[in-house]
């Protein structure tokens, strides 16, 4: 076994968590209160206070509501069928909002516990329009494009300083010819979050430092821009850790690293002392509007909300498709790190803009897509 590695610490945290849970079970004789979510540790509640401005009570209630909304979303898709126009979590009401193209489906969806909104375009139509945009070549002044269920359109984001550039205007005109499109602005262009070598962090490949995403049986998943297939990976102590077995970037931004003997995997995301280390129990996809947190080797633990899904991000190296956008900050070296909502794995950090001093936005590659691509099994508690 490797001594005092991040994964080693995670094993200890897992054992401590199980022990504390057993002790807590027999501690009280008073009438039981409703159990808070398993994710609602004091550290997580404090992170949600700092990043989202929530009191502990508000944070616990929101986590409960988001967990319920995740289940409602699955049922709403089935109930609405072809009339489904997308959905999002509304923090003000604590409920999922489901867009529908047919009023006849409203009663069935509302019976599930969701609110509804009638829209013109179905989610299928919007996804098809975005796919047509994915076939276009975008100039550097276009930051990306995504399906936005609230706007019921495909939103093309342009860099503010280049919005009037001929190439940008031409792209927007072509995009509008492909389907329902609206235009938004971003302060700067997105970038990936790899970094030069810094001692003591989770893993290195070449002269690049990145972060472990989620443990899978046989290794872990991370960002594709961190290394190519066949590249050797070194652990925090510089010793041989594993090898990139598969990697895709641009187009996608994901990779699978197999690990050598002497290293092990555990279903844990590091909380870096800000919150307790998080047990991973599954990979149910959180809805737009839900709270989400990120763990990375540079800026450690930060939280925010899911802003959009199925966004194409136009990096300088090329476009990456099917990304999820969040309000969580990140910096160089955080690439590949874990995005988690409650105890559910969401994805691996890709890139963004801004930093954790002044704020910014970050995209991740959904973890379920990575698992499916490489035939991997998430290591869960």
């Amino acid at each position: 076994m490797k001594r005092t590695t991040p994964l080693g610490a995670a094993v200890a945290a897992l054992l401590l968590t199980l022990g504390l849970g057993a002790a807590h079970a027999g501690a009280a004789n008073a009438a039981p209160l409703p159990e808070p979510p398993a994710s609602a540790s004091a550290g997580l509640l404090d992170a949600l206070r700092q990043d989202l401005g929530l009191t502990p009570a508000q944070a616990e209630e929101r986590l409960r509501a988001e967990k319920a909304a995740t289940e409602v979303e699955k049922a709403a898709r089935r109930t609405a069928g072809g009339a489904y126009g997308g959905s999002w979590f509304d923090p003000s009401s604590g409920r999922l909002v489901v867009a529908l193209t047919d009023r006849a489906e409203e009663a069935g969806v509302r019976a599930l516990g969701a609110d509804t909104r009638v829209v013109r375009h179905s989610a299928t139509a919007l996804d098809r329009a975005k796919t047509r945009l994915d076939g276009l070549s975008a100039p550097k002044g276009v930051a990306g494009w995504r399906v936005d269920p609230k706007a019921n359109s495909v939103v093309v984001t342009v860099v503010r300083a280049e919005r009037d550039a001929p190439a940008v205007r031409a792209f927007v005109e072509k995009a509008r010819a492909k389907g329902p499109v609206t235009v938004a602005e971003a302060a700067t262009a997105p970038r990936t979050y790899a970094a030069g070598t810094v001692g003591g962090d989770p893993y290195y490949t070449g002269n690049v430092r990145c972060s472990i995403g989620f443990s899978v049986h046989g290794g872990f998943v991370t960002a594709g821009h961190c290394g190519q297939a066949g590249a050797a990976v070194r652990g925090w102590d510089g010793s041989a850790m594993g090898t990139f077995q598969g990697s895709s970037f641009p187009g996608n931004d994901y990779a699978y690293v197999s690990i050598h003997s002497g290293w092990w995997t555990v279903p844990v995301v590091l909380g870096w002392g800000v919150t307790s280390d998080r047990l991973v129990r599954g990979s149910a996809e959180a809805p737009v509007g839900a709270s989400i947190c990120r763990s990375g080797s540079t800026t450690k633990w930060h939280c925010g909300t899911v802003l959009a899904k199925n966004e194409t991000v136009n990096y300088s190296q090329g476009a990456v498709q099917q990304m999820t956008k969040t309000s969580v900050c990140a910096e160089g070296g955080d690439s590949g790190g874990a995005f988690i909502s409650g105890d559910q794995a969401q994805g691996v950090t890709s890139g963004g803009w801004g930093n954790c001093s002044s704020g910014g936005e970050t995209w991740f590659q959904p973890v379920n897509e990575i698992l499916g691509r490489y035939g991997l099994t998430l290591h869960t508690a």
Side-chain angles (χ1 to χ4, degrees):
M1 295 190 300
K2 302 300 294 184
R3 183 171 56 86
T4 65
T5 64
L7 288 176
V11 171
L14 174 59
L15 295 176
L16 283 172
T17 300
L18 295 175
L20 289 173
H24 176 75
N29 295 318
L33 295 172
E35 282 295 320
S39 57
S41 68
L44 176 57
L45 297 179
D46 187 62
L48 292 174
R49 175 196 60 76
Q50 177 177 312
D51 292 329
L52 296 183
L54 302 176
T55 67
Q58 289 171 333
E60 287 192 358
E61 180 57 34
R62 177 158 174 169
L63 290 170
R64 289 189 185 95
E66 289 172 354
K67 185 174 182 180
T70 299
E71 296 303 316
V72 170
E73 183 179 40
K74 298 175 186 177
R77 284 178 180 268
R78 294 192 297 268
T79 300
Y84 182 75
S87 61
W88 60 92
F89 178 76
D90 181 5
S92 64
S93 66
R95 292 163 63 89
L96 188 74
V97 181
V98 179
L100 299 167
T101 59
D102 187 348
R103 289 189 181 277
E105 303 296 340
E106 285 190 288
V109 171
R110 286 176 178 171
L112 299 172
D115 295 329
T116 59
R117 180 182 297 178
V118 177
V119 296
R120 180 178 179 182
H121 305 289
S122 69
T124 299
L126 293 176
D127 287 341
R128 287 173 179 166
K130 181 188 173 290
T131 299
R132 289 192 286 270
L133 266 67
D134 287 340
L136 300 177
S137 178
K140 65 178 183 178
V142 175
W145 49 96
R146 67 183 187 275
V147 170
D148 186 336
K150 287 186 181 181
N152 195 229
S153 70
V154 178
V155 176
V156 175
T157 303
V158 301
V159 179
R160 186 172 299 122
E162 300 190 44
R163 62 184 178 183
D164 293 325
V168 173
R169 293 171 67 91
F171 180 88
V172 171
E173 289 179 7
K174 291 179 182 178
R176 284 177 168 151
K178 301 292 184 180
V181 165
T182 56
V183 178
E185 294 183 359
T188 60
R191 68 186 189 281
T192 55
Y193 282 131
T197 300
V198 176
D201 284 291
Y203 82 89
Y204 313 101
T205 177
N207 66 344
V208 170
R209 170 170 60 86
C210 281
S211 302
I212 293 171
F214 293 96
S215 289
V216 297
H217 291 286
F220 62 86
V221 294
T222 187
H225 71 262
C226 291
Q228 297 182 342
V233 171
R234 306 187 307 279
W236 68 275
D237 58 356
S239 65
M241 184 182 192
T243 305
F244 277 84
Q245 295 297 326
S247 179
S248 179
F249 179 79
N252 304 292
D253 195 4
Y254 52 60
Y256 163 52
V257 175
S258 64
I259 56 173
H260 300 323
S261 59
W263 296 85
W264 60 87
T265 64
V266 290
V268 171
V269 172
L270 297 175
W272 297 103
V274 177
T275 183
S276 58
D277 293 346
R278 316 308 305 152
L279 290 175
V280 178
R281 300 186 184 278
S283 58
E285 187 177 327
V288 170
S291 62
I292 193 167
C293 298
R294 179 193 55 73
S295 179
S297 62
T298 298
T299 59
K300 312 309 182 189
W301 183 272
H302 285 276
C303 300
T305 58
V306 178
L307 298 178
K309 297 183 181 182
N310 193 21
E311 180 158 5
T312 297
V313 181
N314 192 33
Y315 294 126
S316 61
Q317 301 96 324
V320 177
Q321 300 170 7
Q322 295 181 324
M323 303 275 270
T324 298
K325 181 181 183 178
T326 78
S327 65
V328 187
C329 67
E331 296 179 13
D334 287 329
S335 279
F339 268 90
I340 187 167
S341 182
D343 56 11
Q344 300 295 305
Q346 299 298 306
V348 300
T349 304
S350 174
W353 62 268
N355 55 54
C356 289
S357 297
S358 59
E361 296 175 337
T362 303
W363 288 267
F364 67 79
Q365 186 88 66
V367 69
N368 288 329
E369 180 183 356
I370 309 172
L371 300 176
R373 169 64 180 82
Y374 295 117
L376 302 171
T377 301
L378 188 68
H379 194 166
T380 57

